[in-house]
Amino acid sequence: MELKTSYAQKFHLPSEYLKEFHCSVLEAGFWPAKKESISCDLTQEEPSLISVDLHKVLDWLHGNELPKPLEKEVCEIPVLLFVPDFSTAHLLFHYDGSPSSASLIKHFIQLFKKQISTSKATIISPCFIPKSKIKEEQELIELVSNSTRETSFIKFNFSRIGDFWSYAVKHDCSLLVTTKSYQADLAKVLFHFYKGSRWSDKLSFYLSL
């Protein structure tokens, strides 16, 4: 579906690059480059997901002298930057201990639950989590474990999106699930590493608040 003007204006990207989806749970045959099925709830006011072809984003980024963030103003609608060979085979979840981080992972699991039952998942969490967050962390691990075929949990003090990107490329992850707080830095990473020796054509990105 063509993106409504009110949403398109929030992006630096050309509106024709953007597709919107309204399903609260994406259909089993979901493909980010295709229009959604009419079985989805088109009466829902806001899209549940906006998808963007990552290669078109990269061409757009390189049309600028300096990398720009994708959005002029950050909106709550999740954005999927997908590669042509989009896959949910190996998910990389970034959990930073914040309520918003936990919420975006839960929302992703709900939205993609028909696509990830056979997926491998890796959760990266900070080395130090306050005692008040340990229960939330354990609940997230259990949720991801119950929603995927295989789940691993590791502790790293990653503080930059480049750290997550490097890990994802090194370990053949296919989809990095992270916060929109990093989108300006992500644009820089994509801008500088596109088609370089460390580039991966397998990695897509799910960004949300």
Side-chain angles (χ1 to χ4, degrees), residues 121-137:
T122 302
I123 306 168
I124 293 181
S125 177
C127 289
F128 173 76
I129 288 284
K131 286 185 178 180
S132 60
K133 295 293 180 184
I134 291 176
K135 182 181 178 182
E136 178 182 75
E137 184 181 68

Side-chain angles (χ1 to χ4, degrees), residues 9-60:
Q9 287 177 345
K10 295 179 184 293
F11 288 81
H12 285 295
L13 293 166
S15 60
E16 61 267 24
Y17 287 10
L18 313 172
K19 283 188 172 58
E20 65 178 64
F21 297 84
H22 286 261
C23 303
S24 57
V25 176
L26 296 171
E27 57 193 336
F30 166 77
W31 189 250
K34 291 184 179 180
K35 292 181 179 179
E36 65 186 344
S37 165
I38 57 172
S39 64
C40 293
D41 183 9
L42 301 182
T43 62
Q44 186 173 307
E45 283 191 19
E46 288 193 348
S48 57
L49 181 71
I50 293 171
S51 72
V52 192
D53 185 317
L54 179 56
H55 285 185
K56 289 182 179 178
V57 170
L58 292 165
D59 290 339
W60 170 81

Side-chain angles (χ1 to χ4, degrees), residues 36-106:
E36 65 186 344
S37 165
I38 57 172
S39 64
C40 293
D41 183 9
L42 301 182
T43 62
Q44 186 173 307
E45 283 191 19
E46 288 193 348
S48 57
L49 181 71
I50 293 171
S51 72
V52 192
D53 185 317
L54 179 56
H55 285 185
K56 289 182 179 178
V57 170
L58 292 165
D59 290 339
W60 170 81
L61 278 172
H62 280 270
N64 298 288
E65 290 187 12
L66 295 171
K68 291 182 180 180
L70 308 179
E71 294 173 297
K72 296 175 185 175
E73 52 181 293
V74 179
C75 66
E76 294 185 359
I77 304 167
V79 174
L80 176 67
L81 303 177
F82 66 92
V83 293
D85 192 22
F86 172 73
S87 169
T88 56
H90 188 178
L91 311 171
L92 180 60
F93 291 100
H94 167 208
Y95 173 63
D96 64 9
S98 68
S100 60
S101 179
S103 178
L104 81 86
I105 292 174
K106 291 174 184 176

Side-chain angles (χ1 to χ4, degrees), residues 90-95 119-125 140-142 144-146 148-156 167 171 173:
H90 188 178
L91 311 171
L92 180 60
F93 291 100
H94 167 208
Y95 173 63
S119 299
K120 177 181 178 180
T122 302
I123 306 168
I124 293 181
S125 177
L140 273 181
I141 296 170
E142 185 176 349
V144 174
S145 297
N146 290 338
T148 59
R149 174 180 57 84
E150 177 187 340
T151 300
S152 56
F153 175 71
I154 53 179
K155 293 275 191 178
F156 284 129
Y167 181 94
H171 295 273
C173 299

